[in-house]
Amino acid sequence: MSLPLPDRHTFYAGRPQPSSTSSGTFQSIDPSTAQPVCSIHTSSTSSIDSAISAAKSAFPSWSSTPPIERSRILLKAVSLLRARNDELARIETIDTGKPFSETSTVDVVTGADVLEYFANLVASGGLNGEAFRLRDSAWVYTTNEPLGVCAGIGAWNYPIQIALWKSAPCLSAGNTMVYKPSEVTPLHAQFLAQIYREAGLPDGVFNVVYGAGEVGGYLTKHPDIAKVSFTGQVSTGRKVAGAAAGEMKYVTMELGGKSPVIVLPDANVEQAVDGAMMANFFSTGQVCTNGTRVFIPAAMKSAFEKTLLSKIKYIRAGDLADPNTNFGPLVSKLHYEKVVSYIRHGTDKDKARLLCGGPGQPSNLPSNLKNGFWVTPTVFTDCTDEMKIVKEEIFGPVMTILTYTNLDEAVRRANNTELGLAAGVFGKDINEAHRVIKQLQAGITWVNTWGESPAEMAVGGWKQSGVGVENGRKGLEAWVRNKSTLVEMGGEVPTVFTEPITSKL
């Protein structure tokens, strides 16, 4: 793959459409080296209007295409995604800074899984409604109708996966989409659009616009957009949801978290440490479901920390193409500065004890990567609930260890947050684990594992962490609207407007 890549332009009506030069450009940056990869042309309002118009024009035909035929096209796209997995994974690595060992086994794969799931679901009757007899002369049936033109606004941490998580149920249900990738990681979008087109998706069914918040805001308020699906931080999600709700649009919001990991007193320490590390350092900690508040029994603290320190060496930063590398840089300079500021705050202001890591770069980093946005995996211990690093979402490789004396206390403290995206429990007593999970206020929960979200599993946050769910059967419901029809078969139209009854005296 030769760099830099060709410029990216608004994609609609089946091909890239150059925007006016006055709309401006921005760059995709390789986070591992801080070098530019590609210039992206911001979509002008006229280009966005054209993309929405293309989607609107394509909707009548696509929505009336039988689900089995839509499924065949989308399953062909699945085959293309799987055949080009490594090529697309390299694009994701360049764009996000994730190691190829991760992008090649998770990002494209899990996105294709979701597209395959929804394509098969609609092909096998997943859009069917219900029918029942109301009385001898009447019956009722319901249908699930597509919404129309939908907007998908992606996040920067799992670009192609999120694009597929949004477009898969959207297109399977018969809607069309205008998709805006994050301006931080936009490279995947045109590749996905081209794959859809090659698979046989009609022109205008999937379109791409580029830009920052103002582009997302324009999409959200546009009168021809029926639904907005957004993934991102809570503050932005509130604005998007508010704007969409004000226009009576459907919304799905997948927002941030400050998720707890509760280690039960009977847990295997080594397994608990493995789970906590996956919950904090996978994808360099840039995962919305990260379990950054690790609650452990006070009696286990010494053993837990000792085991954790012995395993930190297995986090390997370096050449992102090396299959042994399992830890990359942060996604951008701005985000790097944010995470480093939290780490400094943890030591300087919160006065938490730094068990390992800190604001510096990982040791033994190759010289050609020194200018990248690298930070060392960091663990704070002796933490308390009121610390900023414990309360606020950092979105980086920063673990905070908190101790507890009894489980009721741990649960109460774990729930003491306005966020409720994910939570997890590690322990041998499965009944106790279920008891604790039931009390945790989160929409996604795990027992003795962390992070897996298969296509069949509906996921979504509670409280300020989101509205609605993605994936699973429930995820398809978010992309259709119900129509109920009552059929009267009695041969007469019921009416109260008849001749008055004449009384006979």
Side-chain angles (χ1 to χ4, degrees), residues 248-263:
M248 299 303 289
K249 301 179 189 295
Y250 294 83
V251 295
T252 300
M253 298 282 127
E254 199 277 285
L255 308 177
K258 192 65 181 176
S259 304
V261 177
I262 297 182
V263 179

Side-chain angles (χ1 to χ4, degrees), residues 28-348:
S28 170
I29 303 295
D30 180 347
S32 69
T33 62
Q35 294 300 306
V37 173
C38 178
S39 291
I40 315 292
H41 291 253
T42 300
S43 299
S44 63
T45 55
S46 62
S47 292
I48 301 170
D49 287 340
S50 296
I52 295 173
S53 178
K56 187 176 180 180
S57 296
F59 175 72
S61 175
W62 180 246
S63 61
S64 61
T65 300
I68 187 67
E69 293 183 22
R70 294 201 298 261
S71 175
R72 292 183 186 123
I73 293 171
L74 298 176
L75 288 174
K76 186 173 182 181
V78 172
S79 296
L80 292 171
L81 286 164
R82 299 205 192 285
R84 297 173 191 171
N85 179 82
D86 288 3
E87 173 192 349
L88 294 168
R90 290 187 183 94
I91 292 294
E92 292 292 88
T93 290
I94 291 170
D95 211 18
T96 65
K98 296 183 185 185
F100 181 73
S101 64
E102 180 181 334
T103 59
S104 62
T105 58
V106 176
D107 296 51
V108 186
V109 173
T110 55
D113 285 347
V114 169
L115 182 58
E116 186 174 38
Y117 173 80
F118 281 113
N120 283 322
L121 182 59
V122 300
S124 58
L127 290 171
N128 290 351
E130 61 178 353
F132 59 90
R133 177 181 288 186
L134 183 64
R135 53 182 176 267
D136 286 347
S137 66
W139 62 289
V140 173
Y141 68 89
T142 67
T143 55
N144 292 309
E145 303 292 338
L147 303 174
V149 181
C150 301
I153 302 177
W156 50 254
N157 58 333
Y158 278 87
I160 196 167
Q161 183 209 66
I162 291 172
L164 284 160
W165 279 27
K166 295 185 185 306
S167 62
C170 174
L171 305 187
S172 296
N175 302 290
T176 57
M177 173 166 275
V178 179
Y179 170 67
K180 188 196 88 68
S182 165
E183 68 275 18
V184 180
T185 54
L187 291 183
H188 65 288
Q190 183 172 314
F191 287 96
L192 178 58
Q194 289 169 332
I195 282 176
Y196 273 140
R197 187 170 191 272
E198 188 176 339
L201 197 70
D203 292 349
V205 174
F206 182 78
N207 311 273
V208 178
V209 297
Y210 295 106
E214 68 278 2
V215 173
Y218 187 80
L219 268 180
T220 299
K221 296 284 286 184
H222 199 285
D224 287 333
I225 295 293
K227 169 177 176 160
V228 180
S229 177
F230 172 84
T231 300
Q233 64 184 17
V234 175
S235 59
T236 307
R238 285 173 176 158
K239 294 176 184 177
V240 173
E247 303 294 328
M248 299 303 289
K249 301 179 189 295
Y250 294 83
V251 295
T252 300
M253 298 282 127
E254 199 277 285
L255 308 177
K258 192 65 181 176
S259 304
V261 177
I262 297 182
V263 179
L264 302 184
D266 71 342
N268 177 287
V269 174
E270 186 167 341
Q271 291 177 359
V273 168
D274 286 341
M277 289 181 67
M278 284 296 292
N280 281 272
F281 303 128
F282 187 75
S283 233
T284 317
Q286 298 171 123
V287 187
C288 53
T289 54
N290 261 12
T292 54
R293 295 182 295 145
V294 181
F295 292 88
I296 59 175
M300 190 188 290
K301 181 173 182 287
S302 177
F304 186 93
E305 292 177 356
K306 181 179 178 181
T307 304
L308 178 60
L309 288 173
S310 72
K311 288 177 174 284
I312 285 289
K313 62 186 177 184
Y314 300 133
I315 300 177
R316 297 178 295 272
D319 179 1
L320 298 181
D322 186 335
N324 288 313
T325 299
N326 58 15
F327 186 84
L330 294 167
V331 75
S332 67
K333 182 179 181 181
L334 183 65
H335 190 56
Y336 165 82
E337 291 171 347
K338 173 190 172 184
V339 172
V340 168
S341 72
Y342 270 108
I343 294 173
R344 295 192 188 283
H345 192 281
T347 54
D348 299 344

